[in-house]
Amino acid sequence: MQKQGRHNWVVLVPCPFQGHITPMLQLGHALHSKGFSIVVAHTKFNSPNSSNHPDFVFLSIPDNFSHHINPFEIISGLNENSKETFKECLAQFMEKHKPDDRVSCIISDIALNFLDDVAKDLNVQSIALSTNNASFNLALSGIPRLHAQGLIPVQDSTLQDLVPELHPLRFKDIPVSSFATLEEFLEKLSKSKRSSSAIVWNTMELLEQTSLAQLQQHYQCPFFTIGPLHKIVPSCSTSLLKEETSCISWLDNQAPNSVIYVSLGSTAFVDEKALIEMAWGLANSHQPFLWVIRPGSVRGSQWIELLPEKFTEQIGDRGCIVKWAPQKEVLAHKAVGGFLSHCGWNSTLESICEGVPVICWPCFGDQKVNARYLSTVWGIGLELEHEVDRGEIERAVKRLLVDEEGKEIRRRAIELKERTEVSTREGGFSFNSLNALVEHILSF
């Protein structure tokens, strides 16, 4: 692919959030295995751990972000204010590596539309990576139409109604952002369409064939569906938080398919009421549980000091609470029978790949779309209908781990896992799509 001593660089630019950084770095490892040299241009905010990826070059780009800023504000700030900073940094890198090396392309998170202009100015090709699934992007593209038809803002009376042309989504599932106003959100949406030469999707045709076909008409550029990326590439640590592996020893002492694993991801926050309702729901289910409570994720609390004393006494050794877990290893463990999840796309894919059914408690963004597909299309999820309720959590855990209904859901989850394995093996759709992406990059 490249001559001895020469480099064929691919520049990766992730959004500075765990759910976006992880698949971007996984894509980098996939391309590195095909002979490309990888440089990661990233913000100082939430910067990835370069020591976990010794074969990559990391370029830190100055920023003024803090952990207290809304994620949507960070993405807007990058798109509006970072073009010149990124262009200068990448131009210096390219100048330093001339004339022997070349930059083949810039692959950036699909939310960072300013990178298309940077690539054009630097005379290199631009490719977008969607770290969300196709169905979420399809729902986003439908929001202006729904607004023009007077169906958005959504009325309380229509929350449960199906959305025209976006089956199976209900109006309550539509991912209207947390911008200050709908008008501001629509304005951002109108500027978000990419002009990239291709889009890479961390998904599978077998999951989203219909949504991908509809989006193909919207974008009109080559698509490469190469997910789940964590199954395409060798295992590598991409976590921004320290993983507590002690929970694996605890799982080793539990019966097969008996444990409910609970994690709401790397960005969600809950209040004290939600924490206590979840705690008693888990306790009253009388099932063993592994619960990830991220430090600072409970408003008004550093970690678990708001948990009732009686709760701690009642659960004894039946519960294991950690600050962060090695999630892929946890989901692959034979003791885990279900996952109470926020339904972020990475967590959703990891569940599918390990055949673990999901209790869906979505919080924001793409999570409500993912939860709807898990429960109604793929048939491997149970959706919590209320904001948070101990009785509903108790019933959902029992339905999944104890009742006959759970056995049928688990059967479908195992079947989907097996189909995923076929797609990612040599000759499978995702495997072939990665090779097609490599050929596309080499054609530049």
Side-chain angles (χ1 to χ4, degrees), residues 359-429:
I359 297 173
C360 307
W361 188 18
C363 301
F364 57 83
D366 68 325
Q367 297 164 16
K368 292 182 179 181
V369 174
N370 300 338
R372 185 65 172 165
Y373 273 77
L374 278 163
S375 58
T376 64
V377 178
W378 305 320
I380 62 169
L382 297 175
E383 193 168 1
L384 297 178
E385 290 296 332
H386 301 94
E387 191 66 28
V388 60
D389 177 85
R390 67 183 69 184
E392 188 177 14
I393 291 171
E394 175 190 347
R395 289 188 294 272
V397 172
K398 288 179 177 178
R399 285 171 67 190
L400 202 58
L401 296 185
V402 179
D403 297 350
E404 288 299 316
E405 178 186 10
K407 294 179 181 178
E408 177 60 22
I409 295 173
R410 190 168 299 108
R411 184 195 64 77
R412 290 196 292 267
I414 294 297
E415 183 180 281
L416 191 54
K417 171 188 177 181
E418 292 169 350
R419 295 175 63 197
T420 297
E421 290 172 347
V422 171
S423 180
T424 55
R425 284 201 299 259
E426 185 172 356
F429 196 100

Side-chain angles (χ1 to χ4, degrees), residues 26 47 97 190-192 203 333 365 385 398 407 415 439:
Q26 289 166 345
S47 59
H97 289 83
S190 68
K191 298 176 180 178
S192 65
T203 188
H333 199 285
E385 290 296 332
K398 288 179 177 178
K407 294 179 181 178
E415 183 180 281
E439 293 303 316

Side-chain angles (χ1 to χ4, degrees), residues 151-166:
L151 299 174
I152 289 181
V154 178
Q155 305 301 312
D156 289 345
S157 60
T158 64
L159 284 173
Q160 296 291 343
D161 294 349
L162 293 174
V163 182
E165 301 178 41
L166 284 177

Side-chain angles (χ1 to χ4, degrees), residues 340-356:
L340 199 166
S341 171
H342 66 307
C343 301
W345 186 233
N346 288 330
S347 291
T348 298
L349 284 176
E350 289 165 7
S351 301
I352 289 171
C353 287
E354 300 304 337
V356 177

